[in-house]
Amino acid sequence: MTTGNLQLRSVSQLMTESFFIPAYQRGYRWTSQQVTDLLNDVAAFTERPRPVQGEFYCLQPVVVTQFNGHWELIDGQQRLTTIFLILSYFNNRLVAEERKDLFALHYETRENSASYLRSLDEKLHEDNIDFFHIWQSYQAIREWFKPRSNRLNYIEAAILNEVKVIWYEVDQAVEPIDVFTRLNSGKIPLTNAELVKGLFLRSGNFDAEGPRAKQLQQLRIAQDWDEIERRLQEETFWYFLANRQQEANRIDLVLTLRAEELQQVGSRWDANSLFLAFNGHLATRQDAVTSEWDTVKRIFLQLDEWFRDRFLYHVVGFLLSQEVKVGQIREFARNAASKTAFRAALKGEVFKLVFSAPRNTADEIGLAQFIEGQVAQLDYESHRVSIRRLLLLFNIASLLELGDSGPWFPFDHFKKDQWDLEHIRSVKS
């Protein structure tokens, strides 16, 4: 999807908007539990022990496109309707002149739903299925607030100012139904990768460069992005780096490494954290989008270099297969004074991982005796993980001994297929 606008917007910034819900959208179907979960999350956010100024609670994306003076709501109807119901609860406790004007929801085929949202008449809640779900959610909101009346004003302020949506505006040239179908096919949400791509490609990043230069910069980043994703779709490359299957948006792996460098991915990781890391960084440095993309690209090229080098492919691949993080390997590379030092650090890490001890290269005889003693202690019944790890290392070391003419270890088959140790066990112990 191309985008003309991608930003974070607080609930209070949505209050003057008007949303059009087209016929291809289903009716409101959130359950009482989903509404309660949202309120619990917001309440937990307001009660965090060490609040930091500028923090906010982020909702999933709201995808819109301009339509006849309204925003056509492609994705996010359920979330926005729930927010509307929560705000209606706040309003209904006040006299008419003190109530806030709320954003408008219009329906192409369910006009009565809009009027019911405004009235919330209990007598009509069984007239149709939309009214029923709207009323059930509104009741859940009322019940949730009953024991929290002393915190109501505080929670209301948080919802208005500290709850934000990822506002994703699709170009008018794009067919909304196609976007809706892709987003809702198999319940596939708008992914982190697509949101971050939108940040890099949004038009405002390149306004100072002129129309032609802007187009070229956007095209370059888009082509680089597609090339990185295409490369990561190669099974041998992907399973060298990763231990799990991921059908699409494998570029997330590279983006996460950069987000970790920005130190904006904390211990509280959720579905929006990757987008928020880049958004926070680029919001203050929009003139540096091109250089930031070059940084992401350099991370990918470093991974690609490891993959193409026979020694690094096998040693790094072994470590990654044993749940060592890619970021840790990159840290070894940053701290090493030379490529030779980097390779030595990797060998030391392999030894420590397999034998739970540092490698003493000064005493080769003592080292050999130590290894022999460690291996002799391994027992099939008690040390399956250690044996499996040692056999994998033996396979990799044997291939490295063959030199450049030898085959390369197939990490993709090793990780995708099922392997066991039964064949090494003798009939008699």
Side-chain angles (χ1 to χ4, degrees):
M1 290 185 294
T2 56
T3 177
N5 192 5
L6 194 155
Q7 58 184 276
L8 287 165
R9 299 184 70 174
S10 66
V11 170
S12 63
Q13 291 174 313
L14 303 178
M15 298 292 264
T16 59
E17 303 292 1
S18 177
F19 297 96
F20 171 75
I21 300 172
Y24 57 75
Q25 293 268 13
R26 67 172 182 162
Y28 180 71
R29 292 295 182 272
W30 262 28
T31 65
S32 298
Q33 185 61 53
Q34 287 172 295
V35 174
T36 301
D37 288 345
L38 173 60
L39 288 168
N40 285 337
D41 279 355
V42 174
F45 174 78
T46 64
E47 296 166 0
R48 61 199 187 282
R50 290 182 294 277
V52 176
Q53 187 174 6
E55 283 184 322
F56 56 89
Y57 178 87
C58 189
L59 294 175
Q60 289 290 313
V62 170
V63 183
V64 297
T65 190
Q66 292 183 359
F67 174 78
N68 291 343
H70 304 281
W71 292 111
E72 181 172 335
L73 194 53
I74 300 173
D75 193 49
Q77 178 203 170
Q78 309 292 319
R79 290 181 289 280
L80 279 188
T81 303
T82 303
I83 292 295
F84 186 94
L85 290 172
I86 295 170
L87 297 176
S88 296
Y89 172 77
F90 296 142
N91 265 352
N92 291 340
R93 299 177 72 256
L94 304 173
V95 295
E97 59 267 22
E98 293 182 3
R99 294 175 181 174
K100 295 179 176 66
D101 291 330
L102 307 183
F103 54 83
L105 293 169
H106 305 279
Y107 299 81
E108 183 175 9
T109 57
R110 300 189 304 277
E111 293 181 7
N112 291 336
S113 292
S115 60
Y116 187 75
L117 275 171
R118 291 190 294 270
S119 70
L120 293 170
D121 189 341
E122 181 177 5
K123 297 176 182 177
L124 303 177
H125 82 279
E126 293 185 350
D127 282 8
N128 70 48
I129 190 65
D130 287 355
F131 293 5
F132 176 81
H133 284 285
I134 289 170
W135 178 253
Q136 291 297 313
S137 291
Y138 187 64
Q139 282 296 93
I141 293 165
R142 294 168 68 178
E143 290 298 318
W144 189 89
F145 273 106
K146 277 183 180 178
R148 299 173 176 85
S149 57
N150 62 324
R151 287 185 53 80
L152 190 145
N153 291 336
Y154 191 70
I155 293 173
E156 179 182 7
I159 288 175
L160 287 170
N161 303 305
E162 296 181 315
V163 171
K164 297 187 178 184
V165 300
I166 299 172
W167 180 269
Y168 197 105
E169 183 181 335
V170 176
D171 284 348
Q172 289 178 279
V174 178
E175 177 55 51
I177 296 179
D178 292 342
V179 178
F180 174 81
T181 301
R182 193 193 65 75
L183 289 176
N184 289 273
S185 169
K187 305 296 183 185
I188 300 172
L190 195 61
T191 63
N192 265 308
E194 289 171 302
L195 292 169
V196 174
K197 187 176 184 180
L199 288 175
F200 277 108
L201 296 181
R202 59 186 170 188
S203 300
N205 295 336
F206 312 100
D207 283 344
E209 302 183 30
R212 178 61 177 164
K214 174 199 294 190
Q215 187 178 25
L216 290 174
Q217 288 282 27
Q218 288 176 312
L219 183 61
R220 180 181 76 87
I221 293 175
Q223 288 177 333
D224 286 345
W225 186 288
D226 291 343
E227 175 59 24
I228 291 172
E229 180 64 30
R230 184 198 64 77
R231 189 81 172 80
L232 288 167
Q233 284 296 326
E234 297 175 13
E235 296 288 79
T236 52
F237 189 34
W238 175 250
Y239 281 105
F240 158 68
L241 296 168
N243 297 327
R244 57 178 174 77
Q245 174 63 303
Q246 182 173 321
E247 293 296 335
N249 297 308
R250 290 179 174 181
I251 197 173
D252 273 357
L253 184 149
V254 180
L255 298 174
T256 300
L257 291 171
R258 177 55 181 158
E260 289 170 349
E261 286 184 344
L262 295 173
Q263 297 182 336
Q264 296 192 45
V265 177
S267 57
R268 184 183 174 182
W269 178 272
D270 61 30
N272 300 316
S273 294
L274 188 58
F275 164 79
L276 295 175
F278 279 96
N279 185 70
H281 181 62
L282 294 176
T284 57
R285 303 180 63 232
Q286 286 195 347
D287 60 331
V289 167
T290 302
S291 62
E292 178 59 32
W293 173 249
D294 289 339
T295 301
V296 172
K297 190 176 177 181
R298 280 195 297 272
I299 294 173
F300 164 75
L301 292 174
Q302 181 183 49
L303 305 180
D304 192 52
E305 179 186 1
W306 296 349
F307 177 78
R308 296 177 187 278
D309 181 286
R310 181 176 173 81
F311 174 84
L312 293 178
Y313 169 85
H314 286 93
V315 178
V316 170
F318 171 79
L319 290 171
L320 296 180
S321 73
Q322 303 306 303
E323 304 300 334
V324 175
K325 304 298 184 185
V326 180
Q328 292 176 254
I329 308 295
R330 297 189 68 240
E331 190 67 25
F332 290 143
R334 275 193 294 269
N335 294 334
S338 64
K339 290 186 176 182
T340 301
F342 174 48
R343 293 174 182 233
L346 292 176
K347 288 164 69 173
E349 187 65 16
V350 169
F351 191 90
K352 185 170 69 173
L353 183 67
V354 175
F355 298 110
S356 302
R359 181 170 179 262
N360 181 7
T361 56
D363 182 7
E364 291 296 335
I365 296 177
L367 182 64
Q369 292 175 340
F370 172 79
I371 293 173
E372 184 177 348
Q374 290 289 100
V375 173
Q377 295 176 21
L378 295 178
D379 174 78
Y380 175 79
E381 297 295 345
S382 307
H383 303 97
R384 285 195 176 202
V385 174
S386 297
I387 291 174
R388 183 183 178 90
R389 182 177 289 163
L390 190 63
L391 288 173
L392 173 61
L393 181 60
F394 178 79
N395 275 269
I396 288 172
S398 298
L399 291 174
L400 284 173
E401 284 291 316
L402 297 176
D404 293 340
S405 60
W408 293 40
F409 186 82
F411 285 107
D412 53 333
H413 291 297
F414 176 71
K415 294 177 181 180
K416 288 195 295 183
D417 300 337
Q418 296 296 316
W419 304 91
D420 60 52
L421 305 178
E422 294 298 330
H423 64 286
I424 69 164
R425 187 183 188 188
S426 60
V427 176
K428 296 181 179 179
S429 61

